[in-house]
Amino acid sequence: MNRWLAFLIRCRAMIIKEMWAVLRDPRARIILVGPPIMQLVLFASAATLEVKNVEIGVLDLDNGPAAHEVLQQLAGSPNIHALHRLASYADLARAIDRRDVLCAVVLPEGLSRDVAARKAASAGAVCDGRRSNSAQIMGGYLADMVGRAGLALRGVAPDAAPGGATVVRHMFNPNLDFLFFVLPALVATVASISSLSVSGQSIARERELGSFDQLMVAPLRLPEILIGKMTPPLIVGLVNATLYLLVITQLFGEPLRGNVFSYYLATFCFLTANIGLGMAVSALAQTQQQAFLGIFLVAVPVNLLSGFAAPVDNMPLMLRMIAEADPQKHMVVLMEGLFLKDMPLATVLANTWPLMVISAVTLTFSSLLFRSRME
Amino acid sequence: MSALFSARRLKAMLVKEGLQILRDPSTILIAFVLPVILILIFGYALNLDTGRTRIGLAQQDGGEAAASLATAFRQSPWFAVVAVGDVPHLKDELVAGRIRGIIVIPQDFSRRAAAHAGTIQAITDGSLPNNAAFVASYADGVRQNWALARDGRAAVQPALALTLRYWFNPGSVSRYFLVPGAIAVVMTMIGSLLTALVLAREWERGTMEAILATPLGMAELVVTKVVPYYVLGLAAMTICTVVSLILFDVPFRGSVLALLAISSCYLFCALGQGLMISALARSQYVASQIALLAAFLPSLLLSGFIYEISSAPLWVQWVTRIVPARYLIPSLQTVFLAGDDWGLFLPDMARMLLFGAVFFAITLAKTKRRVA
């Protein structure tokens, strides 16, 4: 009984000391909470795979009814900001080279004649392959518009497909709002970067400032020191998680369909896994600079393999296996599931246990490193 | 006081900085290992081209037509049928993320298909919007092709088709456009992040005071801090370029001179930003966080590298104007994929130099005042 009380008292002292170390500097206090929220809002607004407001060039060599119909479709598109008339192929080449336009539509001579004669008629489009992502998306839009123009010229209703139909139902996000996908994934990204960078400094800073030796001679046991080191990033992370939840549901109007308990359970396990990772790097580093750069070297792959930037399904087998050890990969699945899909507790747990394993491994590893430094 | 620049003092400081870089394994890690990791991940992991999507199949009709359509889905190169069963069971799989869509072939399908009116249902996972749109349109494609083949008809010729061509990157290989992004990230890391950390450390440890007590002038100090990291940045850029040319056959159609000129302008700007951050923060922790938030993440997300700037809301478009990487990405993409176009490069290079000059001016003003 007394041993436990002493343990708690020492833990409390250690936690107070660590909280002071993190929160003492007023600029550091602001940095812990302000930027993560700013990032969430700014990046959520910037991240869209829709292509809007683009400039499109038109080289009209046809001047007939078919060209007129295509131009009308283009002019009516909400994705196109302005249509630029081009006079010649040389003009077109210059407009693409100089990035004045993303794509240029070419309506060849005799297009209207071919359409009227029911021959295979085809318009052309040149897109800027330097921006291949946006160009492909815009190319898809253009193909749709030209196809619709063709149907209009024939006088056919746009959705007359052969024999039968496919009724589509998008579950969880009926309008396929891209923002609803980005926000939960950003919670994982932002929380990962902030918890890694706080915990990465924990041990390296003491070592650089020379207070590590003081810690070693203090009447503290290893678990007490580790608990003390883990607490500040955990508390900061949970406070931020609460703010994300408020911003996402109140400001962006995305519902949290899963239950709040699961949200905090997932966040807690995710934070522990990241803190374990951060402390391991911190224990390996000799200076704060090394710790920070080490964290960065870890954070980049963790981020890129998480499935946010590109689906994990598309990766080669080797990288898919590495991604299983990436806490952020599991967190993205959990957040997408909890915000939109009302993921049941059993499924939440199925995606949480890998996080617990990662935490156990990284925390054990960092405490072993820590212990070896003590001796 | 001697001249503004003394060769002897400059040389002494450059040697000191050079040794400091070479003797710290972490700077070597960032300058030589990170570029390789980035290029490998960008080349192998960021595959935006969709492979086979995992779907579930709910076949509620036992007729011949339904079985034939189910086979069409199983044989489709776009889908992998990994689960079969009733809709509630498959919906659980969808929630768990084990499948990305459900194809329902309803009870009366075979009967209606005989009358050319067979309707199926595609239920998608809207939490992944790109995937959902893909499943919806390709499911309909499979059904249409199946219906056409069954009727013994060829695909209907559209009245008007569009032939798309992608200049500079005919196959739309995503690796090609990711490489300039990787270079931007690495140069931002070295220019802004590493520099911010190094100088903040001098302030934090008090060695800056020692340097300021020497006859070294402010301008000399800045030069000796900038030159080694400029060299390091160019080295990392070269590694990125060489690795991507060898491993991924990324084309390089411009000239080395243009690549060097563009990179130098960006490094000037990034180094200025790093120095400014360290002069303002003076603590490694705060400097590292500011550098991460103000330099690194924007260079990835607000530079037009992944997301098209014109698609963002107007206020975000304004924010991107103060992200230096925004002026780097178009020129890098051009020098790799299109060739030299100085009419395009020069305005952006001028902008980067201007930003750099402002950053350096702020650094000098800030440092002088605080020390006096």
Side-chain angles (χ1 to χ4, degrees):
Chain A
M1 190 64 203
N2 262 342
R3 270 175 54 201
W4 282 106
L5 196 62
F7 171 76
L8 287 178
I9 290 172
R10 285 198 299 266
C11 272
R12 181 170 164 268
M14 186 65 198
I15 288 171
I16 291 175
K17 172 214 167 265
E18 287 297 322
M19 288 304 284
W20 268 112
V22 171
L23 296 178
R24 182 203 44 197
D25 185 347
R27 285 173 309 176
R29 281 200 298 262
I30 297 170
I31 277 177
L32 287 172
V33 180
I37 296 296
M38 271 164 49
Q39 286 171 57
L40 192 73
V41 174
L42 183 63
F43 298 147
S45 311
T48 167
L49 284 186
E50 242 187 302
V51 176
K52 285 186 284 197
N53 284 322
V54 291
E55 317 276 317
I56 296 294
V58 180
L59 176 57
D60 185 0
L61 302 173
D62 176 55
N63 279 316
H68 183 72
E69 183 61 42
V70 171
L71 285 176
Q72 275 210 320
Q73 289 283 349
L74 295 180
S77 162
N79 302 91
I80 297 175
H81 175 247
L83 284 177
H84 299 277
R85 289 294 193 140
L86 304 167
S88 62
Y89 279 104
D91 228 20
L92 181 150
R94 196 173 316 118
I96 295 269
D97 280 349
R98 285 289 149 88
R99 305 172 76 107
D100 294 336
V101 298
L102 177 63
C103 298
V105 177
V106 182
L107 303 163
E109 226 183 309
L111 185 73
S112 299
R113 197 185 54 225
D114 287 348
V115 171
R118 305 220 153 208
K119 280 200 262 178
S122 144
V126 175
C127 294
D128 184 351
R130 284 170 289 187
R131 295 185 266 175
S132 72
N133 211 10
S134 318
Q136 279 186 71
I137 295 168
M138 197 63 222
Y141 295 161
L142 289 177
D144 272 359
M145 286 181 241
V146 170
R148 271 204 302 276
L151 290 172
L153 286 166
R154 287 266 169 92
V156 187
D159 50 5
T166 302
V167 179
V168 174
R169 189 172 149 225
H170 299 301
M171 273 179 88
F172 319 124
N173 182 8
N175 298 323
L176 293 189
D177 191 337
F178 194 67
L179 192 64
F180 283 8
F181 160 73
V182 169
L183 284 168
L186 272 178
V187 169
T189 310
V190 175
S192 165
I193 291 178
S194 109
S195 60
L196 276 175
S197 58
V198 175
S199 56
Q201 294 301 311
S202 58
I203 300 168
R205 178 189 261 186
E206 300 247 17
R207 193 174 291 145
E208 184 165 323
L209 296 178
S211 54
F212 191 74
D213 295 334
Q214 285 173 19
L215 200 62
M216 295 296 96
V217 297
L220 289 165
R221 294 199 187 90
L222 186 61
E224 295 153 7
I225 294 178
L226 287 180
I227 289 173
K229 290 279 176 202
M230 285 175 65
T231 307
L234 204 54
I235 289 181
V236 170
L238 288 172
V239 168
N240 280 340
T242 310
L243 290 174
Y244 304 149
L245 191 57
L246 289 175
V247 168
I248 290 176
T249 53
Q250 303 308 312
L251 191 66
F252 288 103
E254 174 166 359
L256 178 76
R257 299 213 178 97
N259 72 46
V260 180
F261 168 74
S262 300
Y263 176 78
Y264 280 101
L265 176 73
T267 310
F268 181 86
C269 293
F270 175 61
L271 288 171
T272 354
N274 273 326
I275 291 167
L277 215 53
M279 292 212 322
V281 172
S282 198
L284 278 171
Q286 297 297 326
T287 60
Q288 280 190 73
Q289 184 186 321
Q290 285 181 6
F292 189 77
L293 297 176
I295 286 296
F296 195 84
L297 213 55
V298 170
V300 168
V302 157
N303 223 310
L304 292 173
L305 294 178
S306 71
F308 176 33
V312 178
D313 289 353
N314 292 0
M315 294 175 192
L317 186 65
M318 238 268 283
L319 286 172
R320 281 211 302 273
M321 277 156 63
I322 297 177
E324 284 304 311
D326 177 356
Q328 204 179 319
K329 183 244 162 190
H330 301 283
M331 186 62 172
V332 169
V333 173
L334 282 164
M335 287 295 114
E336 298 293 350
L338 282 173
F339 272 98
L340 289 171
K341 298 199 218 173
D342 188 11
M343 199 179 248
L345 191 61
T347 320
V348 171
L349 289 176
N351 283 291
T352 312
W353 74 258
L355 290 175
M356 296 176 184
V357 173
I358 299 170
S359 314
V361 171
T362 51
L363 285 172
T364 314
F365 180 67
S366 47
S367 59
L368 285 176
L369 272 176
F370 200 83
R371 190 188 299 256
S372 74
R373 304 268 184 209
M374 283 171 89
E375 284 154 4
Chain B
M1 193 71 191
S2 54
L4 188 61
F5 286 101
S6 132
R8 204 172 129 251
R9 289 199 300 259
L10 271 180
K11 187 174 161 245
M13 274 303 284
L14 283 174
V15 168
K16 175 228 164 224
E17 291 295 331
L19 284 178
Q20 205 170 349
I21 290 173
L22 290 176
R23 287 180 182 168
D24 188 340
S26 65
T27 48
I28 300 299
L29 216 59
I30 286 298
F32 301 107
V33 179
L34 181 73
V36 177
I37 293 183
L38 266 181
I39 292 288
L40 289 180
I41 291 183
F42 278 9
Y44 288 118
L46 295 194
N47 185 359
L48 300 172
D49 320 313
T50 318
R52 285 168 86 108
T53 301
R54 284 168 290 141
I55 54 165
L57 192 61
Q59 193 185 331
Q60 298 169 343
D61 180 32
E64 185 271 328
S68 150
L69 180 61
T71 311
F73 271 102
R74 287 206 173 82
Q75 286 168 352
S76 158
W78 311 112
F79 296 115
V81 178
V82 295
V84 285
D86 55 3
V87 175
H89 163 69
L90 291 174
K91 275 188 182 165
D92 288 345
E93 295 285 293
L94 197 67
V95 170
R98 282 188 285 270
I99 57 175
R100 300 294 182 214
I102 304 169
I103 306 296
V104 186
I105 303 177
Q107 262 183 10
D108 55 352
F109 179 79
S110 295
R111 189 174 52 77
R112 295 186 55 175
H116 301 289
T119 298
I120 60 167
Q121 198 187 6
I123 303 172
T124 70
D125 181 349
S127 72
L128 304 168
N130 290 330
N131 231 303
F134 174 87
V135 168
S137 75
Y138 279 77
D140 193 46
V142 170
R143 187 198 56 75
Q144 282 190 30
N145 285 336
W146 171 83
L148 288 171
R150 213 173 153 76
D151 297 353
R153 283 186 292 153
V156 194
Q157 279 294 323
L160 187 55
L162 184 71
T163 319
L164 274 166
R165 278 203 296 161
Y166 296 96
W167 278 7
F168 316 122
N169 183 4
S172 283
V173 187
S174 43
R175 271 170 201 158
Y176 291 1
F177 94 100
L178 291 171
V179 168
I183 293 180
V185 168
V186 169
M187 290 204 297
T188 310
M189 277 295 302
I190 292 173
S192 301
L193 227 99
L194 201 55
T195 321
L197 276 175
V198 168
L199 264 180
R201 176 151 83 161
E202 300 248 23
W203 284 111
E204 202 173 288
R205 287 186 163 180
T207 49
M208 192 58 123
E209 306 277 309
I211 292 175
L212 291 173
T214 64
L216 199 71
M218 268 329 289
E220 282 173 323
L221 175 68
V222 168
V223 168
T224 54
K225 286 286 171 193
V226 163
V227 171
Y229 291 95
Y230 167 75
V231 174
L232 208 61
L234 280 189
M237 184 275 291
T238 312
I239 292 177
C240 273
T241 309
V242 171
V243 171
S244 52
L245 292 185
I246 292 173
L247 274 184
F248 300 124
D249 291 326
V250 174
F252 183 74
R253 304 198 172 105
S255 64
V256 176
L257 177 73
L259 180 61
L260 278 180
I262 295 162
S263 308
S264 299
C265 289
Y266 182 69
L267 277 172
F268 176 74
C269 180
L271 287 163
Q273 199 177 20
L275 286 176
M276 183 184 76
I277 290 169
S278 67
L280 294 175
R282 296 197 180 197
S283 122
Q284 287 186 72
Y285 176 70
V286 176
S288 68
Q289 295 303 303
I290 296 179
L292 194 67
L293 300 172
F296 172 68
L297 288 172
S299 78
L300 200 61
L301 295 167
L302 301 178
S303 63
F305 155 50
I306 300 180
Y307 304 113
E308 192 65 28
I309 291 174
S310 71
S311 306
L314 209 58
W315 69 272
V316 178
Q317 292 187 35
W318 277 99
V319 173
T320 66
R321 282 177 194 276
I322 54 165
V323 175
R326 182 207 160 134
Y327 304 106
L328 170 71
I329 298 279
S331 299
L332 275 186
Q333 288 173 339
T334 305
V335 84
F336 272 92
L337 297 177
D340 286 1
D341 184 344
W342 291 96
L344 195 71
F345 299 159
L346 289 174
D348 278 347
M349 284 164 70
R351 286 191 190 101
M352 292 191 279
L353 290 177
L354 182 72
F355 268 101
V358 171
F359 291 146
F360 276 108
I362 294 176
T363 311
L364 284 175
K366 206 71 193 168
T367 318
K368 230 180 268 166
R369 192 148 33 107
R370 292 244 195 128
V371 170

